[in-house]
Amino acid sequence: MTDDVAAARAAAEEESAFSHPPVDPDATAAYGDDPDQLIDFYAPRGTGGPGGPAPVVAVLHGGAWRASHDRRHISPFAAFLARRGFAVASVEYRRGAGEAGGGDPVAGRWPDTFDDVAAALDALPELVRSHLPQADPRRTVVTGHSAGGHLALWNAARHLLPADAPWRTDRPAPLRGVVALAPIADLAVADKLDVCDGAARQLLGGDDGFAERRPYADPALLLPTGIATTLVQGRADLDVPLPVAEAYADAAAKAGEVVGLTLLEDVGHFPLIDPAADACAVVAEEIAQLAW
């Protein structure tokens, strides 16, 4: 496939994923005082499992940790999962503001982005009990797309953070698992490949912070987690190329942990969250295998 054809297909996939109108949640709750510290809740509408209280899927949206993309763009995916019988919690968090050298918004805020994800996931069980009474927060899977996939993997590794990290926990998170979708899972490899126009380096504060902060932020350095983890990756992904996911899986193997890597042929970056795409059904099945 020529570069032009591959780029055209990627553009068509993105257009399809963003063609769905946003889906309003059934409830929204704050986990902090900032306007971005919100979680949208979608009640289960299907019977995708064996019955009983629905498992919870926490969704972390992508968008290169930049302010230009918020949780609304992933709301059709959240609603899709709710129709599959999951109780869904779609997390908003603070993203980069201002512009980088090339005019794009800066990726991420240090440490605010990480503060928010940690706070949201810590608050989630109690918020689920209040807003999704038909759900079982003891059966929670965290999923995330692209930059959100990075945050999902990072959250599952907080017990492995350096001792002085403010987000460190004293034990693994009580999760059924993590399903990371085209995740920016290895920040060093993503930086070498210039994924999302230097987003990984920007996330950690640029050249001055990248090396110093990686031990606090790079999932590939925080292994083994002891939490069941699956990566879902399109082989034709031009936005977050396959070597990023492979690097994380290789790092996990070297640490003695088996990480699932589901590779989808002729699939790029956005079909994984596009309810109209077959890849989205594969994602739902991967979540179901861990959740039920």
Side-chain angles (χ1 to χ4, degrees):
M1 181 181 296
T2 67
D3 290 346
D4 288 346
V5 172
R9 183 173 69 180
E13 289 176 339
E14 181 174 2
E15 182 180 5
S16 177
F18 283 82
S19 68
H20 309 285
V23 180
D24 290 334
D26 296 298
T28 299
Y31 62 89
D33 295 331
D34 190 272
D36 280 329
Q37 293 175 324
L38 297 171
I39 302 176
D40 285 343
F41 294 100
Y42 297 81
R45 285 172 169 76
T47 55
V56 176
V57 181
V59 176
L60 293 160
H61 71 80
W65 311 284
R66 292 184 171 118
S68 48
H69 288 79
D70 63 15
R71 70 193 186 283
R72 296 290 286 169
H73 86 269
I74 209 169
S75 62
F77 173 72
F80 170 82
L81 293 178
R83 292 194 299 273
R84 291 293 187 111
F86 300 109
V88 181
S90 183
V91 177
E92 191 58 273
Y93 52 90
R94 283 174 286 183
R95 294 144 349 264
E99 293 185 346
D104 292 326
V106 174
R109 298 191 213 177
W110 182 274
D112 304 20
T113 298
F114 296 90
D115 288 345
D116 286 1
V117 171
L121 272 296
D122 287 347
L124 186 61
E126 189 59 37
L127 291 175
V128 165
R129 292 184 185 98
S130 298
H131 297 278
L132 292 173
Q134 63 276 73
D136 182 359
R138 297 170 299 177
R139 289 191 287 159
T140 296
V141 173
V142 180
T143 190
H145 179 240
S146 195
H150 158 267
L151 294 170
L153 294 170
W154 174 83
N155 176 73
R158 286 169 55 199
H159 58 293
L160 302 175
L161 287 168
D164 63 341
W167 316 291
R168 182 181 168 94
T169 57
D170 60 2
R171 60 179 62 90
L175 300 174
R176 283 295 182 96
V178 174
V179 179
L181 314 177
I184 306 179
D186 185 310
L187 297 184
V189 173
D191 184 55
K192 289 177 183 176
L193 296 176
D194 196 31
V195 168
C196 300
D197 298 320
R201 186 164 292 262
Q202 291 175 21
L203 175 69
L204 303 191
D207 293 344
D208 293 339
F210 189 71
E212 177 183 351
R213 292 171 176 169
R214 265 191 70 216
Y216 298 83
D218 193 339
L221 299 179
L222 300 169
L223 291 160
T225 68
I227 295 173
T229 300
T230 298
L231 312 185
V232 183
Q233 176 75 40
R235 286 188 180 274
D237 194 328
L238 301 181
D239 295 272
V240 184
L242 176 57
V244 181
E246 289 179 327
Y248 179 85
D250 289 346
K254 290 176 182 176
E257 188 160 73
V258 177
V259 166
L261 180 55
T262 299
L263 300 178
L264 304 181
E265 298 292 336
D266 300 322
V267 169
H269 193 61
F270 288 99
L272 303 178
I273 60 165
D274 181 356
D278 291 342
C280 202
V282 174
V283 168
E285 181 57 33
E286 294 287 356
I287 294 171
Q289 288 183 23
L290 296 179
W292 290 105

